[in-house]
């Protein structure tokens, strides 16, 4: 019987597929009736691809590799014999591992050799360089193929102390003159497993010693995850407390903690974790981890053991899925909503224009040419007045867009690289983490300043746009639209969390004593990679908003302009041939019926987009900020 998490993820996937189908239906409507422009088509394509590729990321961190691996297997891969990740002697050497499904590539296990630590490139940079990775292809029809590949993730080797120093790996197990180190830095597993195909990504975080050696990994996990599960032993250790303080506590992810009651964790240990971590008591629980994992994988778990892990599944299902649905629903509302509304209003405008033209033509029936000429003169004067307003609008539109593009340029890669290069040079001359922190602050300060400028501009632009909307509504009867707000709060919060992590890392007494070059090559590079992605996401969201703020109005204005011109042309053609009026009225009546049908299609589509949201997602929308873009 599927567990609660599997069930909710399956429901989420079905809902998302229906949402995509409704958007595709709107796209087909646009293609059928010639309403799509290139800009809109690209925006809809980006949205659909974003929905199809959306992922919920679950991260597992803590000390015991066996317990973390066991919970990953029990929660996500209990249907596979023995689970997915190797749960056997040597598993403590398992490197940071990302488990997902990418249908564009054949299944594989891909590993990054430890020797790449001698280079300055970040893991994020190396991910873009396939030549640096070793790839093992998987035969999904042969379980032994998967087992053999995943077992290789535990490989380790003995190196000299000097070699370990060259790799900045000293906090590892020593045996005489040799140092045992993992063979791999990072692993990627691409597998067409049902949970992964539904949109889950599992992240395995190594122990505190390897996280200290790879701070980029810890920052990436904390910044990208929707769930962070800390797996502890029978109590909260100083090492686990440090990992929490440096990386986890400032993450925007939902945070959960599991202690091992099998090794003695009790209510007092839970209370200590709640106090130290500041998370809800409901998010902290004790389980006999090894017993629970063994029972789940062997399908022999007791009712008591099952209730414990089911509580963990329920916590994830009830916290992660509704929130993700709400964010996606808001993204659709912000991106597709104005386009559907604009299309509906364009159809309504055509419908009204058709009725008016029918009324005009009916009034000319049986009358002389002078009546038709007077009507034509009136309509042409109305069109000229409208044209003046359109010309003024175009000037305003160009000015607002130009100003927006200026602000977007401050977030472009070239400008960011200029700032980062300057900071890197400064940091390389700083011999303490305090000096490094002083320089890093410049990066955060610049981001905050630019986001504030963008938001201030967005407020002014929205006021100006609302004035334009109001003018065209009052003077020409266009629908009174309201541009969507620009929401960048999530990016600001992510950057503040990154700043807090950097502050904690640079001010930690242990790191202050660490050799400066190590911090520059590893921590700073990881920090820069995360910051760069936040700059990029902020720029893209602002760019999408800038295009969308005036887009619907611009579409209405152009539509009205075409309708007025068409009416003038039709009346001009018929003023010398009044006998053709009845034929034109018949054609217009057919057009009226077709427009009525189009309007009903759009009304149904708008209803489908709204009703596709499950009740939990609908209620969550009201309490979550909009996902812009």
């Amino acid at each position: 019987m599927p567990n609660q998490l599997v069930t909710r993820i399956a429901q989420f996937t079905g809902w998302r597929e229906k949402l995509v189908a409704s958007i595709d239906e709107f796209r087909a409507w646009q293609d059928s009736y010639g309403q799509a422009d290139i800009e809109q088509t690209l925006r809809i394509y980006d949205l659909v691809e974003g929905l199809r590729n959306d992922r919920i990321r679950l991260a597992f961190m803590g000390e015991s590799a066996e317990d973390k691996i066991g919970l990953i297997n029990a929660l996500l891969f209990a249907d596979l014999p023995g689970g997915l990740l190797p749960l056997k002697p040597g598993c403590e050497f398992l490197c940071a591992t990302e488990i997902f499904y990418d249908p564009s590539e054949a299944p594989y296990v891909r590993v990054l050799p430890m020797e790449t630590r001698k280079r300055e490139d970040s893991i994020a940079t190396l991910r873009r360089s396939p030549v640096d990775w070793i790839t093992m292809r998987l035969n999904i029809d042969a379980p032994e193929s998967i087992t053999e590949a995943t077992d290789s993730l535990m490989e380790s080797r003995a190196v000299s102390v000097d070699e370990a120093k060259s790799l900045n790996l000293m906090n590892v197990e020593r045996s005489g003159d040799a140092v045992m180190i993992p063979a791999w830095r990072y692993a990627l597993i691409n597998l067409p497993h049902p949970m992964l195909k539904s949109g889950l990504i599992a992240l395995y975080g190594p122990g505190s010693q390897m996280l200290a050696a790879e701070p980029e990994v810890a920052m990436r996990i904390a910044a990208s995850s929707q769930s962070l599960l800390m797996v502890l032993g029978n109590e909260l250790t100083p090492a686990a407390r440090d990992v929490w303080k440096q990386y986890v506590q400032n993450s925007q992810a939902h945070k959960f903690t599991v202690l091992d009651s099998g090794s003695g964790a009790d209510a007092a240990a839970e209370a200590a974790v709640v106090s130290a971590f500041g998370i809800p008591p409901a998010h902290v629980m004790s389980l006999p981890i090894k017993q629970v994992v063994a029972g789940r994988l062997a399908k022999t778990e007791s009712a008591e053991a099952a209730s414990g892990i089911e509580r963990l599944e329920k916590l994830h299902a009830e916290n992660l899925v509704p929130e993700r649905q709400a964010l996606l629903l808001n993204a659709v509302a912000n991106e597709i909503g104005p386009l559907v509304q604009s299309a509906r209003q364009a159809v309504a405008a055509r419908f009204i224009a058709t009725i008016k033209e029918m009324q005009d033509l009916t009034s000319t029936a049986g009358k002389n040419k002078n009546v038709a000429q007077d009507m034509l003169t009136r309509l042409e004067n109305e069109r000229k007045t409208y044209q003046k307003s359109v010309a003024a609008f175009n000037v305003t539109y160009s000015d607002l867009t130009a100003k927006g593009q200026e602000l977007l340029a401050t977030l472009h890669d070239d400008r960011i690289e200029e700032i980062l290069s300057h900071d890197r040079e400064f940091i390389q001359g700083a011999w303490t983490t305090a000096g490094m922190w002083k320089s890093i602050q410049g990066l955060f300060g610049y981001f905050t300043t630019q986001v504030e400028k963008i938001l201030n501009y967005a407020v002014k632009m929205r006021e100006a746009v609302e004035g334009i909307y109001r003018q065209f509504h009052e003077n020409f009867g266009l629908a009174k639209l309201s541009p969507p707000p620009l929401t960048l709060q999530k990016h600001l919060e992510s950057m503040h969390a990154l700043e807090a992590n950097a502050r904690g890392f640079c001010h930690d007494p242990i790191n202050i004593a660490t050799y400066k070059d190590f911090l520059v090559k590893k921590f700073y590079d990881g920090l820069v990679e995360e910051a760069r992605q936040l700059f990029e996401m902020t720029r893209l969201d602002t760019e999408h908003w800038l295009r969308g703020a005036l887009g619907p109005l611009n579409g209405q204005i152009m539509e009205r302009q075409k309708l007025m011109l068409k009416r003038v042309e039709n009346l001009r053609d018929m003023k010398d041939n009044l006998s053709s009026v009845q034929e034109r009225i018949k054609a217009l009546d057919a057009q009226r019926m077709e427009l009525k049908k189009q309007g009903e299609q759009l009304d149904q589509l708008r209803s489908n987009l709204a009703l596709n949201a499950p009740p939990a997602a609908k209620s969550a929308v009201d309490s979550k900020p909009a996902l812009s873009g």
Side-chain angles (χ1 to χ4, degrees), residues 513-560:
T514 304
Y515 185 47
K516 182 256 319 183
D517 279 354
F518 168 63
L519 289 173
V520 173
K521 292 176 183 177
K522 305 303 175 190
F523 179 79
Y524 183 74
D525 287 345
L527 180 98
V528 164
E529 189 64 34
E530 291 301 315
R532 193 191 301 275
Q533 290 190 31
L534 285 173
F535 271 71
E536 175 67 9
M537 288 188 291
T538 302
R539 184 182 66 79
L540 289 174
D541 278 0
T542 304
E543 200 169 48
H544 286 159
W545 177 83
L546 187 63
R547 291 199 299 259
L550 281 168
L553 175 61
N554 189 46
Q556 278 199 70
I557 289 173
M558 297 302 107
E559 178 69 18
R560 176 62 63 87

Side-chain angles (χ1 to χ4, degrees), residues 6-44:
V6 171
T7 300
R8 289 299 292 271
I9 290 295
Q11 291 173 347
F12 170 67
T13 301
W15 169 80
R16 191 175 55 188
E17 289 172 351
K18 289 180 181 178
L19 198 61
V20 169
S22 293
I23 296 172
D24 281 338
E25 184 182 343
F26 174 63
R27 186 161 50 182
W29 184 92
Q30 286 185 313
D31 291 340
S32 297
Y33 297 108
Q35 292 288 317
D37 58 31
I38 295 177
E39 182 65 37
Q40 287 185 3
T41 300
L42 290 175
R43 285 165 60 192
I44 294 175

Side-chain angles (χ1 to χ4, degrees), residues 327-545:
L327 290 171
L328 294 182
L329 190 61
N330 276 335
V332 171
N334 286 344
E335 192 68 50
I336 294 294
L339 299 183
V340 176
Q341 183 183 18
S342 180
R344 183 65 183 91
Q345 287 157 349
V347 170
R350 288 182 179 181
F351 185 85
I352 293 171
T354 300
I355 296 296
K356 286 185 176 179
E357 186 174 351
M358 290 176 67
Q359 292 172 342
D360 290 344
L361 294 177
T362 300
S363 68
T364 64
K367 298 183 179 179
N368 59 37
K369 294 182 180 180
N370 290 334
V371 173
Q373 182 60 51
D374 290 343
M375 190 179 299
L376 179 61
T377 300
R378 174 175 55 80
L379 192 56
E380 285 185 324
N381 288 336
E382 182 181 333
R383 191 172 70 89
K384 288 177 182 178
T385 301
Y386 185 76
Q387 283 293 98
K388 291 179 181 178
S389 294
V390 172
F393 164 78
N394 288 334
V395 172
T396 303
Y397 183 84
S398 297
D399 290 345
L400 290 172
T401 302
K403 178 61 177 175
Q405 292 299 329
E406 283 181 29
L407 287 169
L408 285 175
T410 66
L411 297 176
H412 258 288
D413 287 345
D414 292 345
R415 178 60 183 137
I416 297 170
E417 192 57 45
E418 180 184 333
I419 296 165
L420 297 178
S421 298
H422 174 269
D423 280 349
R424 182 185 292 277
E425 292 172 5
F426 185 94
I427 290 169
Q428 287 175 339
W431 289 95
T432 65
T433 50
M436 178 174 147
W437 167 246
K438 183 178 179 180
S439 181
I440 287 176
Q441 283 180 299
L443 177 67
F444 296 123
Y446 179 81
F447 179 84
T448 301
T449 299
Q450 293 313 124
V451 169
E452 287 176 352
K453 286 182 180 178
I454 289 171
L455 290 174
N456 289 335
Y457 161 75
V459 171
K460 294 178 181 177
M461 179 174 176
R462 195 165 191 233
E463 291 173 352
V465 172
E466 285 178 338
I468 297 172
Y469 276 118
R470 186 167 52 252
Q471 174 192 346
F472 276 88
H473 171 70
E474 294 172 352
N475 296 340
F476 303 104
L478 269 64
K480 190 176 182 180
L481 302 176
S482 181
L486 175 63
T487 306
L488 300 177
Q489 188 61 31
K490 58 190 172 74
H491 301 318
L492 269 173
E493 290 174 355
S494 295
M495 186 61 85
H496 290 328
L498 200 60
E499 181 179 11
N501 283 342
R503 182 190 297 109
F505 190 89
C506 290
H507 292 166
D508 188 283
I510 296 176
N511 294 329
I512 288 175
T514 304
Y515 185 47
K516 182 256 319 183
D517 279 354
F518 168 63
L519 289 173
V520 173
K521 292 176 183 177
K522 305 303 175 190
F523 179 79
Y524 183 74
D525 287 345
L527 180 98
V528 164
E529 189 64 34
E530 291 301 315
R532 193 191 301 275
Q533 290 190 31
L534 285 173
F535 271 71
E536 175 67 9
M537 288 188 291
T538 302
R539 184 182 66 79
L540 289 174
D541 278 0
T542 304
E543 200 169 48
H544 286 159
W545 177 83

